[in-house]
Amino acid sequence: MKNLEDLKKQIKDGLSELDVVIGWTDSFDPLHATPHFMRSEADVDKLKVDALCVHNLATYLPSLKGKKVGIVVKGCDSRSVVELLQENLINRDDVTIFGFGCTGVVDQTKIRRAVGDVGQVEACEVSDAEVKLSVAGKEHKLPMADVIADKCQTCRYPNAVVSDQFVGDEIKATASFEDGYKDLEEFEAKSTEEKFGFWLGEMDRCIRCYACRNACPMCVCRDHCVAQSRDPHWLSQEAHVRDKWMFQVIHAYHLAGRCTECGECQRACPVDIPILLFKKKFNKEIKEVFNYEAGLDPEAKPPLQTFKIDEPTIKEKEW
Amino acid sequence: MAKFIKSDKVSAWLEELGQKHEVLAPRGEGDSIVFKPYDAKKGFNIEREATAPPKKACFPQSETLVKFSHIKDLENPEKVALDVKETIPDSSWVVFGSRPCDARGFTMFDRVYLNGKHVDVYYKARRENTFFITLACEKGETTCFCNWVGSGPSDPTGSDVLMVPVDGGYFLEAVSDRGEALLASSLLEDGGSKQAEADKVRADADQSMGEAQDLSKAPAKLLEAFDDMGFWEEQSAKCLSCGACTYLCPTCYCFNITDESDGVKGERIRSWDNCMSSMFTMEASGHNPRPTKAHRLKNRVGHKFSYYPDLHDGVISCCGCGRCIKSCPVGVDIREIVLNAIAYEAKEKAND
C-alpha cells in the first residue's frame, strides 16, 4: 500500500480515543497476513496492508459491541460494516472506520493451484502486477490477474463506502452487476441432477467445523445457531452429507439480502468447498425481486427485514 | 525387514490390500486433499500433507454406539419396550499415506481410551484393526513443529510400516509385527540396496526442521497464566471460535453423545466435539464454565500443553502437524501462544 505511512499516522492519532484498532500484520509465513489488534503505537508500526490482507475484519465488530473500536476496511469489508449498522448490531458512534481504495486481494487457493505446494514459502513480494514467491528454493512469478480473488475481478465497490478517515486515492471500478454472476449463470445452466450431484460431492468432505459461519460478518447467531441446537432439533449431529447440505441452505437463506459477497465463508473453509456460489444465487434473486444490493446504504433496510404492501418490483396487482 | 516398491506398483499394492482390508488413502478433492476409501479410478495423492488427517479411521466424526427402537405392546398401549443393539465395528482398515504426525497422534488417544481407567470398546475395536502405512516427510513445512513435541519427520511411533521416498519408489520398513504381514506382497522387492539412500532422506528431513523450542516449562507456565483472562483475551483476540483447528487436529479426541431418532427408531451416536464451540461443556443447569472464546482457546492450548502432560508422564498432546495453523481462517498460531505463555512471567516482570 502506497499510503501505508499516512494510514499509520491516522491510526496513531486516533489511538488515544479507541480501545483497539483492527488491521492486519505479518503471519506465520511470508505468503500470509493475519488480523492484528492494535493498542499501542508499537502495534501500529507492525500494520501491513497489501493484497495478502484478505480477512474481512468486520466479522469482529459485533463481539466488540460496547467498546470503542477502530477498523481498517477495504471496499467489500465496508459493506459488511454498513450491513451491521443497518441491523443495529453495532453503534456508529463506537466505530471509527479507516477506509481505503482496494486494488484486490489474492486467492490463496489459486496460488496453491499454480504453485502446487506452498508449504515451504521462504519469501513473497506482492505488487499490483504480480506475486513473486520463493518456495522450497524455487522462484515463482504469478501475474496478479491469475491469482486475484474472483470477487475482486468483478468488484464494483473497491473504495470504502463508509469511512471516517479515507487514505489514498479512490479506485475506479469498471465491472457491472452482471459481470459478477457469470459463474453462477454457467452453473444454473446445468440440469437439476447435475447441480445436486455437484453439491453432494462437494459437501461430502465438509467437516462441520462451521468456519464458514464464524468467519461470516453477518452470521451473528453463532452461539445460538440452529446447526448445533438440540432444541429446536433441526439438524442431527451425524456426519451425513444431507445435514451438511441442509446447513448451507439454511446459512444461505439467512443471508438473503444481507450477504455482501465478501467471500469469507468460502475462504475460511479448510477443505475448499465453493460455498459462495450458494450466497450469490440468493443475491441474484434478491436483486431481481427487490432491486436491492446489501451493504451500500446505512439507512436502508434489508428487504427480508421489512414489509411493504406494494413492492415496486412485484406487480402482483397487475397479474 | 526392508522392502522397496516402485512408484508405479503402489496402486496395485493398494488394490491388493483392499481385498483384505478397507483402505483409506488421501486423494485430491476440489482443492483439498482428504482421506477417502481408496478408489483405483480416483487414485491417491501423497505429494503433500493431506488437508484433513485420517482421524476418522479410529475415531469417526460420527459413530453409532447403539441402535434402538421403541416397541409398543398391542395388549397394553402404555407399555413400551426398548430394543437396544450395540454396534461394535468389526472390519479392518489400512490407512495409507498418512504422515508420521498423523499416526503418532493416535498414541495420545490410546492413553485416554485404552490405557486409562476405562477402555473404550468402540475405539479399541477400530484401533486394533487399523494399520498405518506412513510416509516419512522429506522436508518440514513452515507450519510444522513435530520436532518441538518430541517427534520428527520420519518418526515411526504409531505406524506399522514406514515408507521413505527414494529414487523410483519407496523404501518400506516394518515398524511392528503387524507391519511385517503387510509387507508380504509379491509386488514388493527386497529393499536392502536402498537402505543408505533412505537413511540420507531421513537425515536430511531432520535437518530441514528449524530449531526445536524447549516446551518443558509449558505445563507450569500455562497454569500460572490460567487466571489472567487479560492474557487469554489478547491471545484469542483474532480467533473466530470456529472448530476448524480441533476437527483437523490428529490429537483432539473430545466427543458429544446424542440420540438421533426418527419416529420409533433411532441411534445413539458419538460425534466430534470441539472446545471452540459455545456448546462445549455447557451444563444442564445452563451454566457454561467456558463462556467466551478466550476461555475456550485457553482450554485448547492448556489441554494439549499442560493438563494432558501433567496426567500422562509429560507427553504433550499435540503432534506438531501444523494443520491448526495452516487451515485457521485467521492464522491463529498455537506455537506463538505456547511461547507467549512460557514467557509469561518475564513479561510481567518487564512491566514492573
Side-chain angles (χ1 to χ4, degrees):
Chain A
M1 186 194 213
K2 270 188 286 182
N3 308 86
L4 184 60
E5 292 311 313
D6 297 343
L7 175 62
K8 284 183 183 170
K9 185 170 183 312
Q10 286 176 2
I11 295 173
K12 283 181 184 174
D13 290 347
L15 210 55
S16 59
E17 307 284 312
L18 298 166
D19 293 312
V20 64
V21 179
I22 321 173
W24 304 273
T25 193
D26 294 325
S27 190
F28 62 84
D29 77 5
L31 182 57
H32 291 83
T34 186
H36 181 42
F37 287 63
M38 297 172 273
R39 292 185 177 83
S40 66
E41 295 211 348
D43 291 341
V44 181
D45 288 330
K46 291 183 195 148
L47 176 69
K48 164 197 183 99
V49 182
D50 63 19
L52 301 177
C53 298
V54 290
H55 324 79
N56 180 352
L57 307 173
T59 301
Y60 296 110
L61 289 180
S63 60
L64 293 168
K65 204 176 172 183
K67 294 211 160 90
K68 295 281 183 195
V69 180
I71 183 167
V72 186
V73 291
K74 308 183 279 284
C76 52
D77 308 339
S78 73
R79 292 179 64 194
S80 304
V81 177
V82 166
E83 200 58 38
L84 291 167
L85 288 169
Q86 284 181 5
E87 298 182 25
N88 290 325
L89 292 161
I90 53 174
N91 296 322
R92 185 67 187 90
D93 296 343
D94 291 343
V95 183
T96 303
I97 305 164
F98 299 92
F100 65 97
C102 170
T103 51
V105 295
V106 302
D107 180 335
Q108 293 279 357
T109 302
K110 287 186 183 175
I111 291 180
R112 231 166 40 223
R113 245 179 245 162
V115 178
D117 186 358
V118 291
Q120 292 136 5
V121 177
E122 286 126 13
C124 175
E125 245 178 80
V126 189
S127 68
D128 284 354
E130 65 179 5
V131 176
K132 259 168 74 182
L133 271 180
S134 165
V135 185
K138 223 175 131 196
E139 302 293 323
H140 299 263
K141 277 187 187 172
L142 311 172
M144 189 55 96
D146 293 352
V147 295
I148 196 168
D150 287 345
K151 66 169 180 176
C152 306
Q153 279 175 322
T154 56
C155 175
R156 289 180 304 128
Y157 305 100
N159 306 300
V161 299
V162 57
S163 61
D164 298 294
Q165 307 272 353
F166 191 91
V167 65
D169 302 324
E170 293 208 351
I171 308 284
K172 204 167 173 297
T174 50
S176 68
F177 180 86
E178 287 72 24
D179 292 339
Y181 293 87
K182 288 197 176 120
D183 55 342
L184 178 64
E185 276 159 21
E186 274 169 36
F187 185 73
E188 284 175 325
K190 292 177 196 275
S191 72
T192 304
E193 288 73 26
E194 275 178 307
K195 283 186 271 192
F196 195 54
F198 170 82
W199 281 120
L200 291 187
E202 293 290 312
M203 291 307 302
D204 188 51
R205 67 175 178 274
C206 163
I207 54 169
R208 295 192 77 169
C209 69
Y210 299 116
C212 52
R213 177 191 73 191
N214 286 32
C216 171
M218 301 318 302
C219 232
V220 287
C221 301
R222 282 173 210 167
D223 290 0
H224 307 275
C225 178
V226 292
Q228 286 156 307
S229 152
R230 299 298 294 174
D231 183 20
H233 186 187
W234 292 109
L235 295 179
S236 91
Q237 293 306 304
E238 288 163 283
H240 197 285
V241 67
R242 74 176 168 232
D243 291 290
K244 302 170 183 179
W245 155 270
M246 182 66 178
F247 170 71
Q248 286 305 335
V249 173
I250 294 172
H251 189 177
Y253 264 101
H254 278 186
L255 287 163
R258 303 169 66 231
C259 169
T260 58
E261 291 178 27
C262 69
E264 284 291 88
C265 51
Q266 182 162 316
R267 188 190 68 76
C269 178
V271 287
D272 284 292
I273 302 173
I275 39 184
L276 184 57
L277 207 55
F278 275 109
K279 319 295 184 329
K280 289 176 81 164
K281 170 66 180 163
F282 282 82
N283 273 2
K284 188 161 156 276
E285 298 295 323
I286 290 284
K287 177 78 171 172
E288 274 169 30
V289 178
F290 298 105
N291 191 27
Y292 181 86
E293 275 180 75
L296 297 178
D297 173 7
E299 302 303 317
K301 268 218 180 315
L304 298 189
Q305 292 185 23
T306 186
F307 175 75
K308 291 180 192 156
I309 290 177
D310 290 306
E311 281 288 349
T313 49
I314 305 175
K315 310 289 180 200
E316 77 266 38
K317 286 177 186 158
E318 294 164 25
W319 286 343
Chain B
M1 179 172 59
K3 294 267 184 168
F4 172 74
I5 187 166
K6 287 197 179 108
S7 299
D8 59 10
K9 293 246 173 89
V10 174
S11 304
W13 188 32
L14 294 182
E15 281 184 60
E16 194 182 281
L17 290 167
Q19 289 165 8
K20 246 180 115 179
H21 313 277
E22 291 184 36
V23 176
L24 272 183
R27 74 165 180 245
E29 268 202 11
D31 287 294
S32 63
I33 297 179
V34 290
F35 280 86
K36 284 283 170 87
Y38 177 65
D39 177 340
K41 276 186 236 121
K42 293 184 175 165
F44 62 88
N45 184 343
I46 50 175
E47 294 294 306
R48 58 182 163 100
E49 182 188 58
T51 315
K55 181 157 69 172
K56 61 187 174 188
C58 298
F59 192 66
Q61 177 148 18
S62 80
E63 172 173 37
T64 303
L65 302 179
V66 294
K67 293 185 177 193
F68 58 83
S69 54
H70 298 279
I71 304 152
K72 285 193 179 171
D73 186 336
L74 294 178
E75 301 300 314
N76 181 0
E78 285 182 14
K79 201 173 146 197
V80 180
L82 186 64
D83 179 47
V84 180
K85 284 193 181 70
E86 196 176 46
T87 52
I88 304 286
D90 59 1
S91 34
S92 66
W93 296 265
V94 168
V95 177
F96 170 80
S98 50
R99 299 302 175 120
C101 46
D102 296 332
R104 185 173 176 266
F106 286 110
T107 63
M108 324 303 177
F109 276 69
D110 295 345
R111 289 171 175 272
V112 178
Y113 289 149
L114 299 181
N115 309 331
K117 238 193 258 171
H118 305 283
V119 173
D120 186 287
V121 292
Y122 300 92
Y123 178 76
K124 185 168 186 266
R126 287 180 194 274
R127 181 76 171 115
E128 287 179 350
N129 289 311
T130 305
F131 306 87
F132 290 91
I133 301 175
T134 301
L135 176 66
C137 302
E138 288 177 89
K139 200 171 177 188
E141 298 189 16
T142 47
T143 43
C144 290
F145 60 108
C146 56
N147 58 332
W148 295 25
V149 294
S151 182
S154 60
D155 184 348
T157 311
S159 297
D160 297 293
V161 171
L162 189 71
M163 296 168 72
V164 181
V166 288
D167 194 31
Y170 300 92
F171 175 79
L172 306 170
E173 214 167 23
V175 178
S176 68
D177 294 344
R178 315 187 323 162
E180 299 259 346
L182 294 175
L183 294 184
S185 168
S186 61
L187 291 162
L188 312 182
E189 302 164 20
D190 180 74
S193 62
K194 303 278 182 183
Q195 179 83 52
E197 192 188 343
D199 288 346
K200 179 157 188 335
V201 170
R202 294 178 64 162
D204 287 350
D206 288 341
Q207 206 71 55
S208 80
M209 300 298 292
E211 203 183 318
Q213 299 281 338
D214 175 12
L215 302 183
S216 58
K217 288 194 177 128
K221 283 293 184 179
L222 282 158
L223 284 187
E224 203 177 307
F226 189 87
D227 287 321
D228 184 350
M229 283 317 289
F231 173 79
W232 289 104
E233 272 158 27
E234 211 174 293
Q235 302 306 312
S236 66
K238 65 185 173 188
C239 171
L240 297 172
S241 208
C242 74
C245 54
T246 65
Y247 285 2
L248 294 175
C249 175
T251 69
C252 271
Y253 53 74
C254 286
F255 62 80
N256 191 9
I257 292 180
T258 52
D259 285 351
E260 303 291 351
S261 51
D262 182 10
V264 294
K265 287 189 173 167
E267 294 184 358
R268 173 158 296 181
I269 65 162
R270 159 159 79 184
S271 53
W272 291 351
D273 204 349
N274 152 28
C275 57
M276 298 297 112
S277 156
S278 63
M279 298 283 279
F280 183 79
T281 62
M282 168 74 99
E283 294 170 11
S285 66
H287 170 69
N288 189 338
R290 297 178 180 87
T292 70
K293 71 178 178 186
H295 290 87
R296 295 173 203 150
L297 193 59
K298 173 171 80 169
N299 181 73
R300 178 169 161 77
V301 181
H303 186 183
K304 293 190 179 303
F305 292 89
S306 177
Y307 327 144
Y308 185 102
D310 276 350
L311 289 170
H312 297 286
D313 316 319
V315 172
I316 294 168
S317 183
C318 165
C319 58
C321 74
R323 289 188 181 90
C324 59
I325 306 163
K326 188 163 44 175
S327 287
C328 174
V330 292
V332 172
D333 191 336
I334 198 165
R335 296 172 296 193
E336 197 179 299
I337 300 175
V338 174
L339 294 180
N340 287 345
I342 290 174
Y344 179 69
E345 197 177 39
K347 211 168 153 187
E348 289 290 281
K349 274 183 190 158
N351 289 343
D352 284 344

